[in-house]
Amino acid sequence: MIGFITSPTTADAILEGIQTAQESRGLPHYWTVGSYPIFTGTHTGKIFLPFDDAMMTTNLRKGLTPVDFPEFSQLVGALGGLEARIDLDPQAIIDPNAKEF
């Protein structure tokens, strides 16, 4: 999974920024990236924000993608830029204490 590793506080700020970007234009908050706690590996205790190329080209409304919002570059910059993304093993976000169904 391609995305950013960050602190819970920064992840909350990024998600709030995405919401604000939509609502400031009179739009409902209809789109965001996920936010997943990391349970295992070198990034345990941090948050994973998925941010792959497919996410960046997601068709939102009226043909706009996340990249089309001016705030996009600010939010990505706060995470270290696109080159700061990593490829995280999906197993890292699976809670080892969760019950199986």
Side-chain angles (χ1 to χ4, degrees):
M1 301 181 321
I2 304 295
F4 294 103
I5 304 296
T6 192
S7 69
T9 302
T10 299
D12 288 344
I14 295 297
L15 297 177
E16 184 177 310
I18 292 170
Q19 180 174 351
T20 299
Q22 295 167 66
E23 291 175 344
S24 69
R25 291 168 172 78
L27 302 170
H29 180 219
Y30 59 89
W31 179 88
T32 194
V33 298
S35 175
Y36 304 96
I38 300 172
F39 294 99
T40 59
T42 58
H43 304 292
T44 299
K46 296 202 175 188
I47 301 294
F48 177 74
L49 299 175
F51 231 81
D52 63 11
D53 293 343
M55 183 282 308
M56 291 189 296
T57 59
T58 298
N59 187 4
L60 302 174
R61 290 185 178 185
K62 299 180 182 178
L64 295 174
T65 68
V67 178
D68 295 320
F69 286 83
E71 296 87 348
F72 177 84
S73 60
Q74 295 169 342
L75 296 172
V76 169
L79 294 166
L82 292 175
E83 52 282 342
R85 295 180 297 171
I86 68 159
D87 189 359
L88 183 70
D89 180 352
Q91 296 298 314
I93 65 169
I94 296 175
D95 184 348
N97 298 315
K99 294 182 180 182
E100 292 188 32
F101 294 96

